Amino acid sequence: MTAALPNILAPLLVLLLLAYIAWRLRIAATIDLAGRVLYVVGALLLFLAASWQWAEAVKDYRTWFVVTAYPLIDLAQFLIAAIALALIAMALSRRETLHRDKEQELQLRETHLSVLTNLQQDGRHRHQLLELLNMTLKEVLVPLPNCVGAIFLMNRTKRQLILGAWHGLSKAEIAALEHLSLDIPMVRQSIELGDPAIAGSIDGGAAPGNSELIRFRSTLILPLSSGIENIGVLLLLSEQADRFGRSDVRSLAPVADWLSEKIHSARLVREMSLLRQDSETATLNNQELVQRLQAASRAYGSIDPIVQFCRSIVGMFGSSEVFLGGVRDARLVFHGGSEAIDDLTENYRVALLEALERRKPLVINQEAVDSGGRSRVTRSTLLFPIGGDDLIDALMLRREAGPFSVDEKDLQTLSLMASLGKLIMGQQTMARRDLARRVGLEKVLQLLRAGDRVLSFDTDPTFLSRHLSDLLPIGSLLLMLVRNDKGSYHSAVPALAGIDMGDLCVQPGESLIGQAAVNRQPQFAGGRKSVESGLAGMDQTNRNVFEQLFGEEGPADFAAVCPVTHDNKTVGLLVVFIRGIGDAERMEWERLLTLAVYLYSFLLSVEATRKRSMALVSEMPVDDRLAQAVNELNNHLSAVIGTADLASQREDLAGDVRLQLVSIVDEAERAAAIVKEAVTPLHSGGSPGAAGAHPTPTLNDIVSAVLGRLHVSAGLYLAGGKAREISRRTSQIGPVPFAEEALTEFFEELLNRFAAVSADDDIITIATYAKEEYVYLDISRHRRNFPPVERVADFGQYQIAEQAFRDHPGDVFLRHVAQGVCYFAADRVSPSPAYLSFKFPAVSESSTAERSGSESAVRVLAIDDQPVILDLIAAMCQSLGYAVVTAQSGQEGIRRAVSGRFDIVLTDLAMPDMSGIEVARQIRKLHSDTPIVLVTGWEANLDRAALTSSGISDVLYKPFRIEQLTDLITAAAKSK
């Protein structure tokens, strides 16, 4: 038993020894998987070999096998033990190798950590970006002998790599790396994924066919990124194959991260600095822009706003001169500028015209060659279009010695200035147009007052042209053509502007001028091409005269030919040519010249009638010539009153212009009364109906009367104890069920009370309109440059005026309307109300007329041999929303009636082919229920019974007002 004890203990001792070695050497933690497998297999084999000793300790062991087998078993046991020891030794050797590698890795990591520490310490000081890259690259290469490197930065705009730093490279290798492309798969993949990459040679990757980098057989790529932003790449190269491993990646990754953040921070600092500089520059530019805008805004109140505006822009973008110009009828025109412009060559004019017609911001450079043969810019012109309408205009900036250079922001500034320039041009145009209105209407009033003197076209044909000569703009042409015995027209003066006018002889129907003589209607041409076309059919001799009158500048921009009529024929032609006016001004001149010529023709007819009347005895019947003269007088008066009455309805008129138009109507009506009074003793018979009676005053009439008494000047009225700016926005309305005196007192008290609580700089707006069987009166206030209050009827909360007066007894103006049917709405939010509104029920006739007009249900047939009366009736009816069909003879009127049914027929009494009474008889046979109104200015021999039997239901006496015509058509619509 004692002898077998070593055999029993041997396996246990081996097992304990192997376990101790595994614990002491930390086999499980300090060795890789392959080493652990070797150790475990060797330990099992050694334990197996030692465990055979247990079998040898058994007594009968020697009997288990044949005697010759035991030496082989011992040899096998020895071999197993030897193999086991060899495996254990291999495992321990592997552990030692790994331990040594780890120590080397730790040493390398410590070295790299020291590199990062050094970089962090050095990075505390401020370095330029390239200096930082060079310093980092040198520190990284210190622990990597025989290695070279380079750092690339990413161009974020062009997506390109830019070589920022290098070390250990030759010039040829540097040149090759400068073309390193993102198309190299391993570089692109490393940057896009943000993962380091280890590769072999990158030969040929820098540029096709480049082999300068062939000596480098190992490459380490470290991407530089901050967040999601790719900053660049750190590239390390070595001639040794497989020089870089994962340990290099792990040790250099913190350095790459640190460098990425430093580059990112440096970029942020630089961008912040640039932003700060941009902000400071933008602040200075904004301050300069605000100053220029303030200076440009002050141009509104200057004597010459365009010149002041252009001078306020001088200096912007280095400009020395600023102009506002454009194209009119293919010609270059300048509206104004900072100084006079007189250095335009023909080539420069052509270049400006072409640039303006393109309607885009453009720079035109004028170049010259210096003594050295070099080309340089002597003058640069910047054009910025002013859009918004059909006219071609632009803001023009010029500078000397150097071209303009502007960016998108500069173009935005120019757009703002161009918009302001457009407003100033529009303001000047409106001011010029309003001045023409005021001066022109004053001239018309003077013409009316000229009725006190004896006028004769035969003895003084130039009276009208002299009267209007100082009214026309500078550079205009005005001449009077007189009809001779042969029916042609020649100049009333022998010479004009130093040019002999003796050769001028215009035949009826010849060109635009002759057409006006034949049609006895004013003819107009707007635009240079239209003027040229209007004169194209003229005789060559006449054309030569006008070419001399126009001079080198060529035809004017506007032509007007207005016939002077007398005794139902054209006795003269007023011909006017005006330069440099727009479409809006053309329309104003058309109205003004038409009104002036009608008035002048009327005055001529009055004088002729007076002479004829003096030759008659009161008991004698009125002859046909006198009847014809009085009828012509009434036609002229109707044209004057109707034209002025329609013009006064426009909402865009200034207060003083509207009052002047009302004055013209009043003067013309007084003249009509004088004519009627003069011929009344010569008349016989009565007149049916009361169509000539004045209708019940409307709110518009009351507002006009009250404001007329309070008018100070322009748009200023005395209200609330001081002069206030008041704007009117009236529309066609009917009467309301209140007495005129009550409404007048109500409006006066309302206006004074509302004006007293309004701010001094507020604009007060008075608006009247109709909606759904009601008439509305709004009074509101708003700041200048802000829109007025919209129609209160669309959003106001109304209550009965009687209840509103009980709730708010301080609103004393309500007492005038509280006893009737009236509704009241007010602004209860603001301390001082921004608006007050009153709703009145419209009387049934007005409501019916408004509905029929708005629905275009009423069809009117107007018959008159005078085109001016037909045009007047058509304009009045169309302004009220009625459909109008006209006929210039009785026969034509009957044909119109045969082809269609009308709600009312208006026919003149005296017409060449048949009288209005005969026309009425024929139409009555066709349509027995159609109301027929006789329109006449001659009251002789009008028998009520004869008129009634002819089917005439009423009489409308010339001259008539819109209200009178409205009453007749309203009655017809109501009966329908």
Side-chain angles (χ1 to χ4, degrees):
M1 184 64 180
T2 302
L5 185 60
N7 292 335
I8 297 174
L9 294 177
L12 296 176
L13 292 175
V14 170
L15 183 60
L16 291 175
L17 178 61
L18 291 174
Y20 175 75
I21 292 173
W23 169 77
R24 186 68 181 83
L25 298 181
R26 299 174 61 192
I27 296 298
T30 59
I31 196 171
D32 58 354
L33 179 61
R36 289 196 294 270
V37 171
L38 292 175
Y39 184 82
V40 171
V41 172
L44 289 176
L45 291 177
L46 186 59
F47 179 72
L48 180 61
S51 299
W52 190 255
Q53 298 298 323
W54 290 344
E56 293 181 352
V58 179
K59 289 183 180 182
D60 297 335
Y61 171 70
R62 292 295 177 178
T63 63
W64 289 0
F65 306 102
V66 295
V67 176
T68 57
Y70 288 101
L72 296 175
I73 292 174
D74 292 338
L75 179 58
Q77 182 180 7
F78 173 77
L79 291 175
I80 291 174
I83 292 172
L85 292 175
L87 292 175
I88 292 173
M90 290 173 61
L92 295 178
S93 174
R94 191 175 186 86
R95 175 189 175 280
E96 184 64 23
T97 300
L98 292 175
H99 180 67
R100 185 171 60 252
D101 292 342
K102 282 187 177 182
E103 287 183 350
Q104 293 178 354
E105 183 180 350
L106 289 174
Q107 290 177 357
L108 182 60
R109 184 172 296 181
E110 289 177 358
T111 303
H112 288 147
L113 287 176
S114 65
V115 171
L116 181 59
T117 302
N118 295 335
L119 289 174
Q120 290 175 343
Q121 291 177 353
D122 294 338
R124 295 175 183 174
H125 306 288
R126 179 168 296 181
H127 297 279
Q128 295 294 332
L129 182 58
L130 295 180
E131 182 182 359
L132 176 65
L133 296 179
N134 283 312
M135 180 184 68
T136 303
L137 185 58
K138 291 178 181 179
E139 288 288 344
V140 168
L141 292 175
V142 168
L144 299 174
N146 302 323
C147 292
V148 298
I151 297 178
F152 297 86
L153 297 179
M154 176 75 72
N155 186 321
R156 290 173 290 183
T157 303
K158 299 182 179 180
R159 295 288 299 170
Q160 295 178 351
L161 290 176
I162 300 176
L163 183 61
W166 61 87
H167 184 72
L169 296 169
S170 65
K171 291 183 179 181
E173 293 168 346
I174 294 172
L177 286 177
E178 285 180 345
H179 299 88
L180 186 67
S181 173
L182 279 174
D183 294 334
I184 302 176
M186 61 180 179
V187 176
R188 184 178 65 252
Q189 183 177 3
S190 177
I191 292 176
E192 291 178 352
L193 298 179
D195 294 330
I198 300 174
S201 174
I202 61 170
D203 175 43
N210 196 331
S211 59
E212 298 295 340
L213 306 176
I214 193 172
R215 70 185 182 95
F216 301 112
R217 303 172 60 190
S218 183
T219 305
L220 175 59
I221 303 172
L222 294 171
L224 304 177
S225 60
S226 177
I228 61 173
E229 180 184 3
N230 295 324
I231 297 177
V233 64
L234 172 61
L235 186 67
L236 299 179
L237 303 171
S238 176
E239 297 182 14
Q240 179 183 346
D242 300 329
R243 171 62 183 82
F244 303 107
R246 304 311 301 175
S247 60
D248 296 309
V249 173
R250 287 192 295 270
S251 59
L252 292 176
V255 178
D257 294 339
W258 175 85
L259 180 60
S260 300
E261 296 301 327
K262 291 295 290 184
I263 296 174
H264 185 66
S265 299
R267 281 184 173 177
L268 288 179
V269 170
R270 183 173 179 275
E271 290 176 358
M272 289 295 294
S273 177
L274 292 177
L275 287 175
R276 189 181 299 108
Q277 294 177 3
D278 292 343
S279 177
E280 293 174 354
T281 303
T283 300
L284 294 176
N285 292 338
N286 289 337
Q287 292 176 353
E288 180 185 1
L289 179 59
V290 169
Q291 293 174 357
R292 291 190 181 278
L293 286 174
Q294 291 175 348
S297 300
R298 288 193 292 270
Y300 277 99
S302 63
I303 298 177
D304 196 337
I306 291 183
V307 172
Q308 187 64 29
F309 168 76
C310 293
R311 289 176 179 174
S312 68
I313 301 180
V314 172
M316 180 177 290
F317 312 128
S319 60
S320 57
E321 300 171 333
V322 178
F323 304 92
L324 281 174
V327 179
R328 298 293 186 273
D329 292 323
R331 292 183 299 167
L332 181 65
V333 296
F334 287 91
H335 309 301
S338 58
E339 56 187 76
I341 183 169
D342 54 2
D343 57 348
L344 296 181
T345 63
E346 188 61 30
N347 291 337
Y348 186 49
R349 284 179 177 273
V350 173
L352 288 177
L353 278 172
E354 292 177 352
L356 285 169
E357 290 177 351
R358 294 177 65 180
R359 304 194 184 200
K360 294 181 180 179
L362 291 173
V363 175
I364 302 175
N365 293 326
Q366 295 174 269
E367 298 182 349
V369 179
D370 57 16
S371 57
R374 294 183 298 271
S375 178
R376 60 184 181 88
V377 176
T378 59
R379 173 176 292 160
S380 183
T381 304
L382 172 61
L383 294 175
F384 193 90
I386 299 177
D389 49 31
D390 295 333
L391 299 177
I392 302 177
D393 291 307
L395 179 63
M396 181 188 303
L397 285 73
R398 299 204 306 176
R399 61 177 294 177
E400 307 291 337
F404 278 102
S405 178
V406 293
D407 55 19
E408 188 67 27
K409 190 173 183 180
D410 295 335
L411 291 178
Q412 294 176 0
T413 302
L414 281 173
S415 177
L416 180 62
M417 287 298 181
S419 300
L420 188 57
K422 180 183 178 182
L423 291 176
I424 289 179
M425 290 172 58
Q427 182 258 351
Q428 189 177 47
T429 300
M430 292 179 62
R432 188 166 59 243
R433 188 175 62 198
D434 290 343
L435 179 61
R437 279 178 181 170
R438 289 192 291 270
V439 176
L441 292 175
E442 180 62 30
K443 283 288 183 181
V444 171
L445 287 175
Q446 293 175 8
L447 195 61
L448 273 172
R449 301 185 189 108
D452 298 336
R453 56 179 290 182
V454 176
L455 293 179
S456 173
F457 189 80
D458 295 333
T459 60
D460 187 9
T462 62
F463 171 79
L464 181 60
S465 59
R466 295 198 314 272
H467 186 77
L468 299 178
S469 60
D470 59 344
L471 174 64
L472 299 176
I474 298 176
S476 301
L477 289 175
L478 187 150
L479 64 152
M480 178 64 74
L481 302 182
V482 180
R483 182 178 178 177
N484 55 26
D485 296 337
K486 297 179 180 180
S488 58
Y489 295 83
H490 63 275
S491 175
V493 296
L496 181 66
I499 299 173
D500 184 12
M501 303 297 293
D503 295 335
L504 183 64
C505 182
V506 180
Q507 300 297 328
E510 180 184 352
S511 73
L512 183 75
I513 299 176
Q515 293 173 9
V518 174
N519 299 332
R520 287 188 293 170
Q521 290 294 308
Q523 302 291 322
F524 304 100
R528 187 178 182 183
K529 293 182 179 178
S530 297
V531 174
E532 291 178 344
S533 176
L535 301 179
M538 186 172 289
D539 179 79
Q540 185 61 44
T541 303
N542 294 333
R543 191 183 307 176
N544 292 338
V545 173
F546 280 102
E547 288 178 355
Q548 295 180 47
L549 290 174
F550 292 145
E552 296 181 356
E553 296 186 18
D557 303 305
F558 170 72
V561 184
C562 300
V564 178
T565 59
H566 178 45
D567 283 342
N568 205 26
K569 65 181 180 180
T570 303
V571 296
L573 298 171
L574 180 69
V575 184
V576 179
F577 296 98
I578 304 177
R579 299 185 184 276
I581 62 173
D583 293 337
E585 292 179 273
R586 292 171 187 167
M587 296 175 63
E588 295 299 328
W589 282 110
E590 290 178 10
R591 297 189 187 100
L592 185 62
L593 292 173
T594 301
L595 184 59
V597 171
Y598 282 154
L599 278 175
Y600 182 61
S601 299
F602 158 72
L603 293 175
L604 293 177
S605 299
V606 169
E607 179 62 20
T609 303
R610 185 183 66 82
K611 291 180 179 180
R612 293 168 183 167
S613 298
M614 291 176 61
L616 297 174
V617 182
S618 59
E619 292 80 12
M620 295 177 61
V622 181
D623 62 3
D624 293 338
R625 293 185 61 193
L626 180 59
Q628 182 180 3
V630 174
N631 188 54
E632 186 177 351
L633 281 175
N634 287 317
N635 287 339
H636 288 307
L637 283 172
S638 297
V640 171
I641 293 175
T643 302
D645 204 9
L646 283 173
S648 66
Q649 305 296 324
R650 292 178 50 183
E651 297 184 1
D652 61 338
L653 291 179
D656 56 341
V657 176
R658 193 185 304 276
L659 291 176
Q660 286 180 334
L661 286 170
V662 173
S663 300
I664 290 175
V665 173
D666 293 340
E667 291 282 353
E669 286 184 334
R670 280 194 288 271
I674 293 173
V675 173
K676 181 177 181 181
E677 182 180 358
V679 301
T680 297
L682 306 176
H683 295 172
S684 62
S687 57
H694 290 286
T696 303
T698 65
L699 281 173
N700 288 343
D701 299 327
I702 293 171
V703 170
S704 298
V706 173
L707 291 181
R709 292 195 298 270
L710 301 177
H711 183 250
V712 178
S713 65
L716 296 180
Y717 299 83
L718 187 64
K722 61 182 69 175
R724 309 305 300 264
E725 185 172 353
I726 298 178
S727 172
R728 291 179 58 185
R729 299 170 61 188
T730 57
S731 58
Q732 185 69 30
I733 58 174
V736 297
F738 281 89
E740 180 180 0
E741 296 77 12
L743 286 177
T744 301
E745 293 177 359
F746 155 73
F747 180 70
E748 289 178 343
E749 194 165 348
L750 167 67
L751 179 60
N752 285 322
R753 179 66 180 276
F754 190 82
V757 299
S758 301
D760 292 342
D761 56 346
D762 282 349
I763 297 177
I764 297 176
T765 300
I766 299 171
T768 60
Y769 50 93
K771 180 182 178 182
E772 298 177 356
E773 307 293 344
Y774 287 95
V775 174
Y776 291 81
L777 170 66
D778 292 350
I779 182 169
S780 60
R781 60 185 178 88
H782 64 92
R783 297 286 184 181
R784 190 175 300 278
N785 299 326
F786 283 83
V789 177
E790 298 295 332
R791 300 200 319 178
V792 182
D794 298 330
F795 65 89
Q797 301 294 324
Y798 289 86
Q799 65 176 143
I800 192 71
E802 182 180 4
Q803 182 62 42
F805 185 51
R806 286 198 297 267
D807 296 341
H808 304 279
D811 297 337
V812 293
F813 49 84
L814 290 172
R815 61 189 175 90
H816 300 287
V817 293
Q819 302 303 320
V821 180
C822 175
Y823 299 88
F824 174 63
D827 176 19
R828 302 298 184 186
V829 178
S830 306
S832 298
Y835 65 84
L836 302 175
S837 180
F838 302 86
K839 181 171 70 171
F840 304 90
V843 297
S844 58
E845 290 84 356
S846 297
S847 300
T848 304
E850 186 177 345
R851 284 197 306 273
S852 61
S854 63
E855 297 170 357
S856 299
V858 176
R859 300 182 72 242
V860 180
L861 173 60
I863 308 171
D864 201 303
D865 64 319
Q866 296 293 327
V868 62
I869 300 299
L870 287 181
D871 292 344
L872 176 63
I873 294 175
M876 287 183 171
C877 292
Q878 289 170 0
S879 69
L880 300 172
Y882 305 139
V884 184
V885 176
T886 60
Q888 292 189 0
S889 66
Q891 293 292 342
E892 183 182 357
I894 294 173
R895 288 196 300 271
R896 299 283 188 185
V898 170
S899 61
R901 177 176 289 274
F902 296 89
D903 298 291
I904 186 171
V905 177
L906 306 174
T907 178
D908 188 26
L909 173 61
M911 291 183 290
D913 58 340
M914 64 172 59
S915 70
I917 296 177
E918 180 62 27
V919 171
R921 285 197 193 98
Q922 298 296 330
I923 295 178
R924 175 66 66 184
K925 294 177 182 179
L926 297 171
H927 309 291
S928 59
D929 59 342
T930 299
I932 303 175
V933 177
L934 188 67
V935 183
T936 181
W938 180 246
E939 302 178 62
N941 302 322
L942 293 181
D943 180 66
R944 174 181 288 273
L947 295 179
T948 304
S949 62
S950 301
I952 295 174
S953 58
D954 217 328
V955 178
L956 179 63
Y957 293 109
K958 304 175 186 175
F960 50 86
R961 299 287 302 275
I962 294 180
E963 292 85 354
Q964 296 170 276
L965 185 63
T966 302
D967 286 346
L968 288 172
I969 300 179
T970 295
K974 184 179 180 181
S975 62
K976 175 186 174 182

